[in-house]
Amino acid sequence: MSNRYIFSSESVGEGHPDKVADTISDAVLDACLAQDKFSRVACETYVKSNIAIVGGEITTQAKLDFVALARQAIREIGYVNDDDVFHADKVFVNVIVTQQSPDIAQGVDARKAKGKKTAKQGAGDQGLMFGYASNETPELMPAPIMFAHRLGRELTKIRKSGKGPAWLRPDAKSQVSVIYENGKPVAISNVVISTQHAADVEHAEIEEFCIENVVKKVLPAKLLTKQTEFLINPTGRFVVGGPQGDTGLTGRKIIVDTYGGMGRHGGGAFSGKDPTKVDRSAAYMGRWVAKNIVAAKLADKCEIQFAYAIGHPDPVSVHVDTFGTAKVADAQILKAVGKVFSFQPADIIDQLNLRRPIYSKTTNYGHFGKSDKDLTWEATNKVEALLKAI
């Protein structure tokens, strides 16, 4: 008897209020790292109506114009229409930034532990992180979240190309529900797209455009059936959007950022945080490890979890779960992982070369599953080493 179920994941566009906040925070981070690779950054952004508040704790040698950075980020998203309440050139930007707490800094700064001869960087906070990979897509990601990202990315590509319909606006959400049989995707049951639009367009035009030019272009035709339901702007109208319609906060789309709910999440957000923050760097590390395990065909899917105590360099726990899909025992995989990878925060930064201004590339459409070579945690360069260790 087959095991049949439906799993859904969502994505959001660059103009979604929370993603506007993430984009500004990562723009600030990249600007800091471009001038000072040892910057300590925890940048939080709040957006609502015609206001953006950029706050947080930043210790850096970089000289920044926070207002200009925020405006440029908003401009690149596309909030430049005459009728935008939240407009790149008109938004009021408030900046509330202090330096990193010395109590936190002393936990992160490299120092000698009792009985040790060398100084090592500690974790910037306590916390637990997960990494995940699955062989159900070429990106070794879960299908529902990758499909949802494809929809949002294509919608934005069309809007920014200047060749799409003039009624398209920046705010958007997408959602895809995938039917699984015995753990494998066999069909798409429904597709949801909500896109902000100008006031002078009919719903039927939006519906036809999204189905014909977005859905059918980027989703696998073999998974779209006569039973697939398309829900395009289900409320019938989405004119008021972005920060005008809703509040946006940095770090509020962590499931969109990771695995769409298919893999677990430790709770820490990514955007606006420099790589000494293990919420971000260790989550990237987890993805790198899990992806290499699946790429090595040691398992069809894999989740790894590890945890830290603030100020301590070594994780307090490391756990691998292959959900019964492994070709060897999980204990063997865990032992091999320990031989091939180091989970100390300083080593994570070095292994993945994280002290670079690369983080704006991660902000939208997921931090995982992209092919950009700057996103080193997507490399499958440890397959041979893992197989040898096994």
Side-chain angles (χ1 to χ4, degrees):
M1 186 175 181
S2 67
N3 178 20
R4 185 179 173 92
Y5 61 91
I6 299 174
F7 196 95
S8 304
S9 294
E10 73 160 348
S11 183
V12 297
E14 297 169 23
H16 185 283
D18 293 330
K19 277 297 155 193
V20 173
D22 283 346
T23 299
I24 294 171
S25 292
D26 275 334
V28 170
L29 170 62
D30 277 352
C32 288
L33 293 175
Q35 297 181 46
D36 176 8
K37 67 178 184 178
F38 294 105
S39 297
R40 300 277 177 86
V41 181
C43 181
E44 311 284 351
T45 303
Y46 167 98
V47 292
K48 176 59 186 168
S49 297
N50 63 340
I51 295 172
I53 300 174
V54 181
E57 300 77 48
I58 299 177
T59 301
T60 182
Q61 298 298 314
K63 305 299 181 184
L64 305 180
D65 184 338
F66 290 97
V67 175
L69 285 168
R71 291 191 189 281
Q72 182 59 26
I74 296 165
R75 185 174 296 107
E76 290 176 0
I77 290 168
Y79 283 111
V80 293
N81 297 289
D82 292 339
D83 56 352
D84 287 335
V85 170
F86 187 79
H87 190 290
D89 298 324
K90 302 172 185 176
V91 64
F92 293 95
V93 182
N94 298 319
V95 180
I96 310 171
V97 173
T98 63
Q99 290 197 335
Q100 184 182 60
S101 161
D103 295 342
I104 295 175
Q106 73 174 3
V108 181
D109 293 337
R111 57 193 177 90
K112 290 183 181 179
K114 187 176 181 180
K116 301 293 184 180
K117 294 182 179 180
T118 58
K120 293 183 178 181
Q121 176 186 316
D125 200 355
Q126 70 175 52
L128 51 140
M129 296 81 204
F130 288 92
Y132 185 85
S134 168
N135 67 0
E136 62 192 58
T137 64
E139 300 90 351
L140 301 186
M141 286 283 288
I145 188 64
M146 290 309 297
F147 293 166
H149 285 329
R150 287 183 196 176
L151 294 172
R153 188 182 289 111
E154 185 64 22
L155 201 57
T156 298
K157 180 181 177 182
I158 293 170
R159 175 174 60 83
K160 289 187 171 182
S161 72
K163 299 177 181 179
W167 48 259
L168 274 175
R169 294 292 185 267
D171 197 356
K173 299 181 79 172
S174 57
Q175 184 174 286
V176 179
S177 300
V178 176
I179 302 172
Y180 284 78
E181 284 187 358
N182 299 320
K184 301 296 182 182
V186 295
I188 293 173
S189 62
N190 61 69
V191 177
V192 183
I193 295 178
S194 294
T195 181
Q196 186 187 9
H197 57 85
D200 58 349
V201 61
E202 296 296 324
H203 180 265
E205 181 180 345
I206 298 171
E207 187 174 45
E208 181 182 7
F209 171 81
C210 288
I211 293 172
E212 298 300 325
N213 296 281
V214 181
V215 176
K216 291 184 179 180
K217 182 176 180 180
V218 301
L219 297 188
K222 65 180 181 180
L223 298 183
L224 296 173
T225 71
K226 293 181 179 179
Q227 287 73 45
T228 302
E229 183 180 21
F230 302 111
L231 300 169
I232 311 299
N233 280 19
T235 67
R237 182 178 171 86
F238 186 7
V239 174
V240 178
Q244 179 186 359
D246 199 1
T247 302
L249 293 170
T250 298
R252 203 157 57 173
K253 284 292 176 281
I254 57 176
I255 301 304
V256 171
D257 287 345
T258 52
Y259 308 104
M262 188 75 80
R264 287 174 283 194
H265 194 295
F270 300 158
S271 289
K273 296 179 180 177
D274 76 84
T276 66
K277 277 71 171 175
V278 285
D279 280 341
R280 186 169 211 164
S281 56
Y284 291 172
M285 181 69 183
R287 166 64 177 167
W288 188 39
V289 174
K291 187 175 183 180
N292 275 271
I293 290 170
V294 174
K297 294 182 169 52
L298 292 171
D300 293 340
K301 58 182 177 179
C302 176
E303 183 178 76
I304 184 167
Q305 188 228 41
F306 41 104
Y308 293 93
I310 188 169
H312 287 259
D314 292 303
V316 296
S317 67
V318 181
H319 173 65
V320 169
D321 187 351
T322 61
F323 308 95
T325 69
K327 310 305 184 283
V328 298
D330 285 1
Q332 282 184 270
I333 296 175
L334 179 60
K335 187 175 180 181
V337 165
K339 293 178 180 178
V340 175
F341 302 97
S342 171
F343 292 89
Q344 293 186 357
D347 292 340
I348 291 175
I349 291 171
D350 289 342
Q351 289 169 107
L352 296 177
N353 192 17
L354 295 179
R355 294 192 187 277
R356 297 173 294 143
I358 59 173
Y359 297 99
S360 290
K361 293 183 176 184
T362 70
T363 313
N364 294 294
Y365 315 114
H367 292 240
F368 309 127
K370 295 175 178 174
S371 58
D372 193 307
K373 291 182 179 180
D374 278 338
L375 311 187
T376 48
W377 50 93
E378 292 298 319
T380 53
N381 53 348
K382 292 297 182 180
V383 166
E384 187 176 335
L386 278 170
L387 292 172
K388 185 177 180 180
I390 287 289

